[in-house]
C-alpha cells in the first residue's frame, strides 16, 4: 500500500467525520436559536360541532363559559358581562337566562361555582344541591376568577381590572390569603395595560396558570399553595399573539395533558405540556371563531363525545351578536397526534 495514499485516505475519513460533527453542532445551535426566538406556530384547523344562539346584548358582552358536570346531562354556563348569566345544554340550546348583575368570569369545581359580579364588585359563589350561597367583596376592581381545590379547601384567584393585583382567597373560610403583583417578576414594566383575566387551577399538580395581558402578554405559572412565581411559559415575544386570554387544562390522566390558551391576536389556541417545563405543543384554529376571550374544556365523556368537549367564546360571530361555540375534543386530539403534523 502506498503510504501517501493511505495517509490521504485516513485524513479524508477524519475530515468527513469532523464535518459531520460540525454540521450537527450547527443544526443544534440553529434549533436553539430558533426556539429562543419563538419560531413559527404549527397550526391546524378544526370545525365546531354546535353553537349557542347569539346573546341578546350587543357589542363585546359574551365573555366566559364554564362546563358544569351534573348527574344528568352536563350544562354550560356563559356570562353576558353587561347583563346576566346564560345556561345552555352541551349541544348549545339555551335553557335559561338569569338577569343577575354583571358577571364577568365564571368557573366551576365539583359542585361549586363562582363568578365575579362587577355590578357590586363581589365574588358570588354557591354549592349546588346544598343550598349554600355566599359572597366576598375584594378591595380591588374585580375582573377575572378561577377556582380550585387546594388542601381540601375551595380557593380562588381573583384578578384586578386595569390593575396589577392578583388576590388569592380561601372561599370556604372567606379569608384573603395573599395579594401579589402580576408584574413583580418583570423588568421595564409599562405604566398601564398590565391587568390579568384568564386563569386556571391544576388541582392535582398544585399549580395556577394566569394570563397577564397588555404589551407583554405573558402566560405565567404559579405554585397553588404559596402563589410563588414558577416561570413565564410564553409571551408576545414568543408564540402568543396579542393578549393571552382564556385558559383551560385538558387532562389525559392525573398528571398529564395540556394547557390550552386563547391567543387572541391571531385567533388561535396554543397548547402547552401540562407538566413542567410546559413546552409548546402546537396550535389550532376553530373555523369561523375569532377574538376569543374565555374557554373551558373537559376530558370526560359527554353524550356521544368520549373525549369530552371544548367551549369557547366567539368574539365576532358576525353578523350576529357574540355567542359560544362547542367543539368535540376528539377532532383536536386526532389532528394533534397525527404523524408529522408538527415535527
Amino acid at each position: 500500500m502506498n503510504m501517501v495514499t493511505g495517509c490521504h485516505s485516513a485524513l479524508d475519513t477524519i475530515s468527513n467525520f469532523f464535518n459531520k460533527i460540525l454540521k450537527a453542532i450547527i443544526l443544534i445551535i440553529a434549533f436553539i436559536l430558533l426556539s429562543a426566538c419563538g419560531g413559527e406556530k404549527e397550526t391546524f384547523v378544526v370545525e365546531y360541532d354546535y353553537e349557542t344562539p347569539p346573546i341578546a346584548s350587543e357589542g363585546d358582552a359574551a365573555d366566559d363559559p364554564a362546563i358544569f358536570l351534573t348527574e344528568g346531562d352536563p350544562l354550560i354556563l356563559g356570562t353576558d358581562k353587561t347583563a346576566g348569566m346564560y345556561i345552555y345544554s352541551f349541544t348549545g340550546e339555551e335553557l335559561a337566562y338569569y338577569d343577575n348583575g354583571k358577571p364577568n368570569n365564571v368557573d366551576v369545581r365539583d359542585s361549586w361555582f363562582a363568578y365575579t359580579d362587577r355590578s357590586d364588585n363581589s365574588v358570588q359563589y354557591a354549592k349546588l344541591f346544598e343550598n349554600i350561597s355566599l359572597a366576598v367583596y375584594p378591595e380591588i376592581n374585580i375582573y377575572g376568577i378561577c377556582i380550585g381545590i387546594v388542601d381540601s379547601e375551595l380557593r380562588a384567584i381573583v384578578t384586578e381590572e386595569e390593575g396589577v393585583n392578583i388576590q388569592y382567597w380561601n372561599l370556604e373560610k372567606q379569608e384573603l390569603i395573599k395579594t401579589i403583583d402580576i408584574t413583580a417578576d418583570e423588568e421595564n414594566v409599562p405604566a398601564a395595560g398590565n391587568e390579568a383575566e384568564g386563569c386556571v387551577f391544576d388541582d392535582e399538580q398544585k399549580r395556577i396558570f394566569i394570563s397577564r395581558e397588555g404589551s407583554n402578554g405573558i402566560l405565567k405559572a404559579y405554585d397553588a399553595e404559596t402563589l410563588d412565581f414558577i416561570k413565564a411559559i410564553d409571551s408576545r415575544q414568543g408564540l402568543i399573539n396579542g393578549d393571552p386570554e382564556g385558559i383551560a387544562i385538558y387532562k389525559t390522566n392525573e398528571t398529564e395533558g395540556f394547557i390550552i390558551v386563547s391567543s387572541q391576536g391571531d385567533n388561535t389556541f396554543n397548547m402547552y405540556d401540562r407538566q413542567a417545563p410546559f413546552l409548546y405543543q402546537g396550535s389550532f384554529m376553530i373555523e369561523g371563531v375569532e377574538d376569543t376571550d374565555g374557554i373551558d374544556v373537559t376530558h370526560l365523556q359527554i353524550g356521544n363525545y368520549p373525549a369530552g368537549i371544548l367551549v369557547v367564546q366567539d368574539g365576532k360571530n358576525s353578523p350576529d351578536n357574540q355567542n359560544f361555540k362547542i367543539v368535540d375534543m376528539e377532532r383536536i386530539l386526532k389532528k394533534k397526534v397525527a404523524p408529522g403534523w408538527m415535527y
Side-chain angles (χ1 to χ4, degrees):
M1 173 179 162
N2 185 299
M3 182 63 71
V4 175
T5 302
C7 288
H8 276 298
S9 178
L11 288 172
D12 288 341
T13 301
I14 294 169
S15 177
N16 289 336
F17 175 75
F18 280 105
N19 281 338
K20 288 179 180 178
I21 292 177
L22 182 60
K23 287 179 181 178
I25 292 171
I26 290 171
L27 286 172
I28 291 169
I29 292 171
F31 175 78
I32 292 170
L33 290 174
L34 286 172
S35 298
C37 294
E40 292 186 2
K41 281 190 178 183
E42 300 287 345
T43 306
F44 58 82
V45 180
V46 297
E47 298 177 348
Y48 61 85
D49 293 82
Y50 297 103
E51 64 179 321
T52 68
I55 67 168
S57 300
E58 297 181 352
D60 184 20
D63 198 273
D64 195 33
I67 301 168
F68 178 53
L69 300 171
T70 69
E71 292 182 359
D73 288 336
L75 303 173
I76 297 171
L77 310 180
T79 63
D80 175 342
K81 60 189 175 186
T82 67
M85 185 90 68
Y86 287 89
I87 299 180
Y88 305 103
S89 73
F90 72 90
T91 55
E93 292 90 358
E94 183 181 324
L95 303 177
Y97 171 74
Y98 296 93
D99 180 4
N100 57 340
K102 296 180 179 181
N104 196 75
N105 284 49
V106 61
D107 201 11
V108 173
R109 188 64 90 249
D110 299 333
S111 59
W112 289 98
F113 84 97
Y115 63 92
T116 45
D117 186 349
R118 292 197 287 178
S119 68
D120 62 358
N121 209 65
S122 67
V123 172
Q124 302 287 333
Y125 57 108
K127 193 168 190 179
L128 302 181
F129 314 120
E130 294 189 25
N131 198 29
I132 297 174
S133 182
L134 301 165
V136 294
Y137 295 84
E139 295 182 356
I140 58 173
N141 292 322
I142 60 170
Y143 198 31
I145 189 171
C146 56
I147 59 176
I149 305 297
V150 179
D151 297 331
S152 301
E153 295 179 319
L154 182 68
R155 305 284 180 91
I157 289 292
V158 181
T159 71
E160 181 180 30
E161 183 177 19
E162 298 182 357
V164 299
N165 289 307
I166 303 293
Q167 290 196 341
Y168 192 24
W169 283 82
N170 183 323
L171 291 183
E172 292 194 49
K173 295 180 178 179
Q174 294 195 307
E175 292 179 353
L176 175 62
I177 300 171
K178 189 175 186 179
T179 301
I180 65 165
D181 180 339
I182 190 68
T183 67
D185 60 285
E186 302 172 31
E187 298 179 355
N188 302 316
V189 178
N194 303 308
E195 66 189 8
E197 182 178 11
C199 61
V200 67
F201 279 77
D202 186 336
D203 296 6
E204 295 82 4
Q205 302 275 51
K206 295 190 176 181
R207 296 189 182 110
I208 300 168
F209 302 96
I210 303 177
S211 292
R212 181 267 207 249
E213 300 177 9
S215 59
N216 290 334
I218 308 170
L219 172 63
K220 299 184 178 185
Y222 294 85
D223 184 285
E225 293 185 308
T226 63
L227 207 55
D228 289 340
F229 175 72
I230 297 174
K231 70 172 293 184
I233 298 172
D234 202 354
S235 70
R236 289 191 185 187
Q237 283 68 51
L239 294 167
I240 292 173
N241 191 305
D243 284 336
E245 290 279 353
I247 315 175
I249 296 174
Y250 186 82
K251 301 174 182 179
T252 55
N253 59 39
E254 281 291 299
T255 59
E256 296 177 316
F258 52 93
I259 306 158
I260 305 174
V261 179
S262 169
S263 173
Q264 195 175 57
D266 58 0
N267 305 317
T268 63
F269 300 86
N270 291 356
M271 297 175 286
Y272 304 88
D273 195 332
R274 184 182 171 196
Q275 295 187 331
F278 317 114
L279 297 177
Y280 175 67
Q281 299 289 303
S283 303
F284 62 92
M285 303 178 74
I286 302 171
E287 190 171 327
V289 172
E290 299 179 69
D291 202 31
T292 292
D293 283 323
I295 67 175
D296 198 13
V297 72
T298 180
H299 65 285
L300 299 175
Q301 178 167 350
I302 291 180
N304 295 323
Y305 302 106
I309 60 172
L310 170 69
V311 184
V312 305
Q313 181 255 17
D314 187 348
K316 297 294 183 184
N317 196 42
S318 299
D320 299 314
N321 291 342
Q322 297 174 331
N323 73 345
F324 300 93
K325 301 291 198 295
I326 300 155
V327 182
D328 176 5
M329 273 303 298
E330 199 162 26
R331 292 182 184 273
I332 296 166
L333 295 177
K334 283 181 177 178
K335 290 196 174 183
K336 181 180 184 294
V337 300
W341 84 266
M342 181 174 170
Y343 299 108

